[in-house]
Amino acid sequence: MSMDFSLIEPYLPLFRGGVVVTLEITGASLVLAFALGALIAVLKVLHVRALSLILGLYTSLFRGIPLIVLLFVAYFATPQLTGYKISMFAASVLTLGLNGSATVSETLRGGIEGVDRGQYDAARAIGLTYPAMMVRVIIPQALRSVAPALVNEVITLLKGTSLVAVIGLADVMRTAQGIQAITYRAFEPFAVAAVIYYVIVMALAALGRALERRLR
């Protein structure tokens, strides 16, 4: 067994570029996942039958189909269906964001429905409209109870970005694959990639714990 990490040193700038791409995908996907997930959650608690059926089908599809299949559909099938060549970055963000929104919506819905009904009555009693009630009273309380689950979803989404390497986007994982092809060494580049992902995940976990304390 032999290991020589000095062979990887000349390629560290490539890893820095890969980290930037990974964080960009993660950030953009999180914005889409949380914005769309919150909207879906609020619409679901209205309990309008037709709307609930449509949104239930949406969450079922995106939670039930493997992420890599959704990514292939977004990147390879979109040009066939629409005639529009979607970029690798856009396909990655769209796939991860829509997939994440399904989980976020279910998590938030559970939190919203867990808020005591008296809070709804109190908000109506002081004259708040439904949107104002959700934004100022209900959702903040729901977030406090579901914060750990949402932090886990952020971490899951970050780790899911490693799949975008299969369509050629130069993230951390794709960078490691490229270095393996150049050096004919597998352990060293993938070990560096593993450390990078671990450090980012631990940083997100620390931020999540700080957020939980703040919400409490």
Side-chain angles (χ1 to χ4, degrees):
M1 181 175 66
S2 64
M3 291 181 290
D4 185 3
F5 282 92
S6 65
L7 295 173
I8 306 301
E9 188 174 351
Y11 304 102
L12 291 180
L14 297 179
F15 272 116
R16 285 196 292 269
V19 170
V20 171
V21 172
T22 294
L23 293 178
E24 287 176 345
I25 297 171
T26 302
S29 301
L30 283 176
V31 171
L32 178 59
F34 276 80
L36 187 55
L39 176 62
I40 293 171
V42 170
L43 292 176
K44 277 187 175 181
V45 298
L46 292 175
H47 298 297
V48 178
R49 181 171 176 78
L51 189 58
S52 295
L53 288 173
I54 294 171
L55 295 176
L57 177 62
Y58 172 89
T59 55
S60 176
L61 285 173
F62 280 99
R63 294 177 73 186
I65 300 175
L67 192 58
I68 193 168
V69 176
L70 294 172
L71 183 61
F72 277 21
V73 169
Y75 185 64
F76 295 112
T78 298
Q80 174 189 337
L81 298 175
T82 66
Y84 171 73
K85 176 64 175 177
I86 188 170
S87 68
M88 289 184 287
F89 184 85
S92 302
V93 170
L94 189 64
T95 301
L96 292 165
L98 293 179
N99 180 263
S101 70
T103 304
V104 169
S105 67
E106 285 298 287
T107 303
L108 281 177
R109 181 188 60 80
I112 290 171
E113 292 184 340
V115 175
D116 187 84
R117 300 306 301 180
Q119 298 295 312
Y120 290 83
D121 297 334
R124 293 190 185 98
I126 61 175
L128 290 180
T129 62
Y130 183 80
M133 175 181 67
M134 296 302 295
V135 171
R136 299 176 62 182
V137 179
I138 305 302
I139 290 180
Q141 294 185 60
L143 284 174
R144 185 170 58 185
S145 63
V146 302
L150 291 178
V151 170
N152 286 337
E153 176 58 24
V154 172
I155 292 172
T156 299
L157 193 150
L158 168 67
K159 291 190 291 186
T161 62
S162 61
L163 289 176
V164 306
V166 299
I167 62 172
L169 194 58
D171 69 328
V172 172
M173 187 63 180
R174 183 66 175 177
T175 300
Q177 290 175 333
I179 294 172
Q180 178 199 13
I182 295 170
T183 62
Y184 299 100
R185 308 279 292 191
F187 179 80
E188 292 88 341
F190 290 122
V192 172
V195 170
I196 290 172
Y197 281 117
Y198 180 78
V199 169
I200 297 174
V201 166
M202 289 301 100
L204 288 176
L207 289 174
R209 289 192 293 271
L211 175 61
E212 290 175 38
R213 290 193 296 268
R214 176 69 176 173
L215 289 174
R216 284 198 297 268

